[in-house]
Amino acid sequence: MSYNIDNKNHSNSKHISKETKRINSGGNPQEDKIQVKITPDFVPMIRIIFWNGLGFFFFSFLIPYITVQLLGASGIQLGLTFSIQIMGGLISAPIIGYLTDRISKKVLVLIGSIGRAACYVLMYVGILFSSLSIFAIGMFVLGFFVGFFWTPLDTLISEKSNKDNRSFAFGKRAAMIGKGNLIGSIISFTIFGLANFFTPENLFLVYCPLLLFAASNIFGGIIFHLKVDEQLTYEKHVVNIFPSSVEPSLIYHEPVIQDSLFKSRNNITIGFFIGFFVLSIAFMVSSMNSDLAYPFFQVYLIQELKIENPTLVMLIYFPSQVLSLLFAPKIGKIADKVNPILGIAVVSGLGALMTWLIINSTSGLTFGMILLFDSTFAWGGNLVLQNVLSRISKIHRGKIFGAAQWLSLLGAILGPILGGLAWDSLGPKAPFIISIFIELSVIPLYAIAINSLKPYIAEKLD
């Protein structure tokens, strides 16, 4: 969907009623504020995530299941398989961060969609030939191209949303993943479950959803490229939707710090360096923690809780991968209203508690319910951090998101390996226990980082 920013008389009541609200300030019309949340092409833009997200759940289920159950890998080999994906991202993230601020973001997103499709095809071939090497190459391809998709898309989400509703905007992004996950899960459940029941030896049929999801990625990338107007930013939309009779004082604009942070070295003080350094460490540690336990949830279900039916494992795992994402816009609205340090402290503390409850659960049903809450809290923290990242610089958002992705990948490359070593040497509960302590340790790191960065970011944090 394109939008003509030169059409000053454009009036679409549907868009305005959904995207704006009047904040009353005591009945004085001159003091009322009109707040615009997103641009009109925001929803068409994030629909690509639906098409790309169709295979997310099946993909996340297959990695540990195929690696351990079908290909007979050890815990450390499972960790290395995840790390290979991250290595691809480490290579591409700095390149994509630079390119996002210089060339068409739509082209980069299209390349990322095609790259994910290639990953699904390689995984499918690896399964058919029982080759861990081909399967791992597919993981590397995914890691390399995932930045082509998310970094420019997150930059566009930031450019097309109000800073005061930024967590909500990223929550809409997560919800679209959830919707794609929901439909994709129904497709994969049906094909995988029926094929496993009737013809379990027919690998071509059992894992054919990968080919369907490869096609959906290419389709979504093409539609995105045709419909999104990357020149339409939030600021241009605000100017465009109000007729000239509206007084400028009625349009909601909060003063922001000029985005000169990266233009002059004199403006970069020790406070900024401390804040950015600590934020980098926190991102690395958080990402390492996230991937330290994540690859072993399914293996824990199968080996410790003795749930060996793959379809039942998918059903237990399903709510945490879908429902938590559908809740994201509501969580984002809450995140927009709370202090980011408080938000991170709450979700990290609750996340640590959920991890402890998971490894003390005695049934698959309890495991699945607790994992749902754990995933929901994890997404809450993610939305808060994306909000903070999007505000650091307006003209260098691509580089900021690219740098954040690279730093998180650097930490994540250690997580699965550390988790695999802990699993093999200390026992099945070890990765989760280590994760609890790490999750609590990052709270003071984020507090120091956010407080140090506050005076220097381009869009003020309340």
Side-chain angles (χ1 to χ4, degrees):
M1 174 179 177
S2 61
Y3 190 80
N4 184 3
I5 62 174
D6 295 323
N7 183 5
K8 300 299 181 183
N9 296 318
H10 174 82
S11 60
N12 188 320
S13 60
K14 179 180 178 182
H15 286 319
I16 294 178
S17 62
K18 284 188 176 183
E19 299 167 17
T20 66
K21 64 179 180 180
R22 186 174 293 277
I23 305 173
N24 189 276
S25 53
N28 185 347
Q30 293 299 316
E31 295 179 1
D32 286 354
K33 300 173 181 177
I34 298 175
Q35 186 178 41
V36 185
K37 293 182 179 180
I38 54 178
T39 61
D41 67 339
F42 183 90
V43 173
M45 176 184 71
I46 63 172
R47 283 198 185 116
I48 185 178
I49 303 174
F50 171 83
W51 295 107
N52 284 71
L54 287 174
F56 282 4
F57 174 74
F58 194 58
F59 172 80
S60 63
F61 165 79
L62 282 185
I63 299 172
Y65 180 78
I66 293 298
T67 306
V68 176
Q69 301 301 118
L70 188 64
L71 302 179
S74 65
I76 187 62
Q77 285 177 316
L78 173 59
L80 286 170
T81 302
F82 273 86
S83 295
I84 286 172
Q85 173 187 342
I86 299 164
M87 290 176 189
L90 279 173
I91 296 172
S92 65
I95 302 170
I96 302 309
Y98 177 82
L99 292 178
T100 297
D101 292 327
R102 278 170 167 72
I103 68 173
S104 170
K105 301 174 185 64
K106 295 198 300 182
V107 172
L108 294 175
V109 171
L110 178 60
I111 294 172
S113 298
I114 295 173
R116 185 181 292 276
C119 158
Y120 288 160
V121 172
L122 285 169
M123 287 178 63
Y124 185 71
V125 173
I127 292 170
L128 293 183
F129 289 94
S130 298
S131 172
L132 183 59
S133 298
I134 297 177
F135 193 83
I137 291 172
M139 296 288 288
F140 178 85
V141 169
L142 174 64
F144 184 84
F145 284 102
V146 71
F148 282 82
F149 183 85
W150 289 116
T151 298
L153 183 60
D154 286 347
T155 302
L156 286 171
I157 289 173
S158 301
E159 291 177 351
K160 292 177 180 290
S161 61
N162 184 347
K163 72 182 183 70
D164 292 323
N165 304 102
R166 193 66 50 72
S167 294
F168 167 77
F170 280 108
K172 296 285 284 184
R173 161 196 187 269
M176 200 60 72
I177 299 175
K179 292 176 182 177
N181 257 337
L182 179 61
I183 302 303
S185 298
I186 293 172
I187 296 172
S188 56
F189 271 145
T190 303
I191 298 176
F192 184 80
L194 291 176
N196 256 308
F197 183 79
F198 291 107
T199 57
E201 302 301 321
N202 189 344
L203 300 182
F204 179 86
L205 183 60
V206 172
Y207 299 102
C208 70
L210 285 171
L211 298 181
L212 298 177
F213 300 145
S216 72
N217 272 268
I218 296 174
F219 175 79
I222 293 173
I223 295 300
F224 178 92
H225 190 75
L226 294 175
K227 288 195 171 184
V228 173
D229 178 8
E230 64 181 306
Q231 301 304 318
L232 176 61
T233 63
Y234 169 77
E235 286 81 5
K236 291 177 182 177
H237 175 54
V238 169
V239 172
N240 191 39
I241 66 171
F242 296 108
S244 57
S245 59
V246 176
E247 293 293 331
S249 62
L250 298 183
I251 301 176
Y252 181 66
H253 280 300
E254 185 171 330
V256 298
I257 299 172
Q258 293 299 314
D259 194 5
S260 59
L261 180 63
F262 298 92
K263 292 180 181 179
S264 173
R265 293 182 181 181
N266 295 328
N267 290 329
I268 305 180
T269 67
I270 187 66
F272 174 80
F273 279 120
I274 292 174
F276 195 77
F277 175 76
V278 176
L279 184 65
S280 302
I281 298 297
F283 262 103
M284 292 170 59
V285 174
S286 293
S287 186
M288 182 183 72
N289 179 60
S290 176
D291 286 303
L292 189 149
Y294 174 77
F296 303 97
F297 279 124
Q298 290 181 40
V299 184
Y300 190 89
L301 262 177
I302 295 170
Q303 296 185 5
E304 299 303 309
L305 298 184
K306 306 303 180 184
I307 301 174
E308 298 180 356
N309 186 315
T311 305
L312 184 57
V313 172
M314 288 181 72
L315 287 171
I316 293 171
Y317 206 58
F318 173 77
S320 67
Q321 298 297 297
V322 176
L323 295 183
S324 61
L325 294 167
L326 297 178
F327 297 152
K330 298 295 183 183
I331 299 171
K333 285 185 177 180
I334 298 173
D336 281 322
K337 298 176 182 178
V338 301
N339 181 284
I341 297 175
L342 176 63
I344 290 173
V346 170
V347 297
S348 295
L350 291 173
L353 175 62
M354 292 302 106
T355 303
W356 182 83
L357 291 174
I358 284 173
I359 59 177
N360 286 280
S361 59
T362 57
S363 69
L365 179 61
T366 304
F367 185 99
M369 291 178 63
I370 298 172
L371 188 59
L372 169 60
F373 284 103
D374 186 52
S375 297
T376 302
F377 294 137
W379 269 106
N382 189 41
L383 294 177
V384 173
L385 292 175
Q386 286 176 319
N387 191 338
V388 173
L389 278 177
S390 70
R391 294 168 179 255
I392 293 177
S393 173
K394 295 172 70 175
I395 62 175
H396 295 286
R397 279 190 175 121
K399 297 183 185 67
I400 295 295
F401 280 116
Q405 184 184 26
W406 191 86
L407 289 166
S408 65
L409 289 172
L410 187 61
I413 200 170
L414 301 175
I417 298 175
L418 178 60
L421 288 171
W423 178 282
D424 288 341
S425 59
L426 301 176
K429 290 188 177 182
F432 306 100
I433 294 173
I434 295 172
S435 175
I436 291 172
F437 287 102
I438 294 178
E439 190 157 15
L440 294 174
S441 71
V442 299
I443 296 175
L445 292 179
Y446 280 119
I448 294 171
I450 292 173
N451 275 327
S452 299
L453 286 173
K454 261 187 179 182
Y456 311 103
I457 61 177
E459 292 179 326
K460 191 176 75 172
L461 269 172
D462 297 324

